[in-house]
Amino acid sequence: MAKKVVFLTIHGMGDTEPGYANDIVEAMREKLTDDWDAVEHRSIYYQTFLQPNEYQYYNATKSRVSWGQLRKLMINGFADAGSLEYSRGTPGGPYYLTQDHIFTTLGQIYDDLGGTSLPVVVIAHSLGCEVISNYIWDANKEDKTYGYWKDAEKNAANDGRLKFQKLQNLRLLFTTGCNIPVFITGLKEEERIPINKPHKDFIWENYYDKDDVLGYPLTELSPAYGALVKDVKVSVGNLFTGWNPFSHNEYWDNSGIQRELSKHLKAFV
């Protein structure tokens, strides 16, 4: 069956393995049955640029501090966000390498599909929501005088491929446990500006659990976010995680979220 939609998964912060998306991909495969063959899936894995460095520091200091496992959790989690933002303007830094990884992956997809610009569906979790938002923002802004896109655009293979790599064919941004507010609520309301809508059919659905202290609604950030994003309140997790902050890691296992995501994918095939 010919491919009809591209499905990208992007993980969040913390100790993450390359196979992080296996369960959600298998859930989509089961729900779409034969139609899954029309879906081109790729996983974005940016921990390659962060996790080894975090492990190096943790292992070097763990004998000198207490609460080792909690410290490991803090380093593996919050160092991801801090290191990405800190290195925003540094060539070869984690921010730069993460953007290059997304850019390269999209280029490979475009080539593998024979130069066809299929609609794209992205599901991003936690810090991954900030990562993909930054990528889209940087890729499509007019001023490209710094960072990854300073050279990426002028070295692009062709216009069709570049437009696809800029995610100008993004049809659905599906975010879960999104912590974009953590990065921008220190700004005045009028300064909290979201990505531009890539085209009239673009949809952004944001799923949050009220007990998840790392996941937030977005529509109250500013009128601009309110006009762009549809917030969906959900209850995720089980008896032990559904009523507390541990719910943050339970979104992709939630049957309701899987059902909604599969409906969106189904609409393209």
Side-chain angles (χ1 to χ4, degrees):
M1 183 183 294
K3 301 297 184 181
K4 296 181 180 179
V5 62
V6 174
F7 176 43
L8 291 184
T9 49
I10 305 179
H11 64 81
M13 66 178 69
D15 198 344
T16 306
E17 297 299 323
Y20 71 90
N22 289 350
D23 289 345
I24 190 69
V25 169
E26 185 57 32
M28 294 303 100
R29 190 194 312 273
E30 291 178 359
K31 291 183 181 299
L32 269 68
T33 60
D34 291 343
D35 286 333
W36 175 254
D37 292 337
V39 179
E40 180 70 18
H41 167 257
R42 303 290 172 92
S43 289
I44 300 299
Y45 182 69
Y46 58 87
Q47 277 294 3
T48 302
F49 316 120
L50 296 162
Q51 218 158 257
N53 306 324
E54 294 162 0
Y55 285 160
Q56 180 275 322
Y57 175 77
Y58 171 74
N59 289 329
T61 60
K62 64 182 180 181
S63 64
R64 300 172 56 193
V65 296
S66 57
W67 298 97
Q69 289 304 307
L70 180 57
R71 288 180 185 269
K72 184 179 181 182
L73 179 66
M74 295 293 290
I75 289 172
N76 287 156
F78 293 101
D80 289 348
S83 297
L84 284 171
E85 292 301 308
Y86 181 80
S87 65
R88 179 185 287 265
T90 305
Y95 187 95
Y96 184 101
L97 293 172
T98 297
Q99 294 223 344
D100 180 65
H101 174 49
I102 299 172
F103 181 85
T104 301
T105 299
L106 288 167
Q108 290 171 343
I109 294 171
Y110 184 86
D111 293 341
D112 290 346
L113 297 175
T116 304
S117 293
L118 295 180
V120 179
V121 170
V122 172
I123 179 172
H125 178 62
S126 185
L127 180 61
C129 307
E130 171 77 358
V131 167
I132 196 61
S133 176
N134 283 342
Y135 179 87
I136 297 168
W137 177 280
D138 290 354
N140 294 284
K141 69 180 181 180
E142 293 185 7
D143 177 20
K144 295 185 174 64
T145 57
Y146 76 95
Y148 178 76
W149 287 91
K150 179 181 178 181
D151 297 316
E153 185 170 80
K154 69 180 181 182
N155 294 329
N158 60 66
D159 288 344
R161 193 175 192 264
L162 179 61
K163 289 179 180 178
F164 188 77
Q165 288 172 298
K166 287 183 173 183
L167 283 175
Q168 291 180 0
N169 217 30
L170 179 62
R171 293 290 294 276
L172 171 67
L173 180 55
F174 194 102
T175 54
T176 61
C178 180
N179 45 40
I180 286 176
V182 172
F183 296 89
I184 64 173
T185 48
L187 303 176
K188 295 178 181 178
E189 185 180 50
E190 61 269 22
E191 296 174 331
R192 302 172 194 160
I193 304 171
I195 60 172
N196 288 325
K197 196 171 185 176
H199 51 77
K200 64 181 180 61
D201 296 320
F202 171 75
I203 297 172
W204 183 346
E205 293 185 358
N206 177 57
Y207 291 76
Y208 73 97
D209 187 309
K210 67 181 180 65
D211 295 312
D212 174 17
V213 298
L214 291 174
Y216 294 86
L218 302 180
T219 53
E220 287 84 3
L221 281 172
S222 66
Y225 268 98
L228 181 65
V229 182
K230 175 186 176 183
D231 282 326
V232 183
K233 183 179 176 181
V234 292
S235 180
V236 300
N238 55 39
L239 179 64
F240 303 102
T241 62
W243 51 274
N244 58 53
F246 288 102
S247 59
H248 184 66
N249 293 321
E250 303 289 340
Y251 287 90
W252 290 10
D253 292 328
N254 180 266
S255 59
I257 286 176
Q258 291 177 359
R259 182 173 58 252
E260 290 305 310
L261 180 59
S262 67
K263 284 181 182 178
H264 284 294
L265 288 173
K266 187 85 170 178
F268 293 104
V269 299

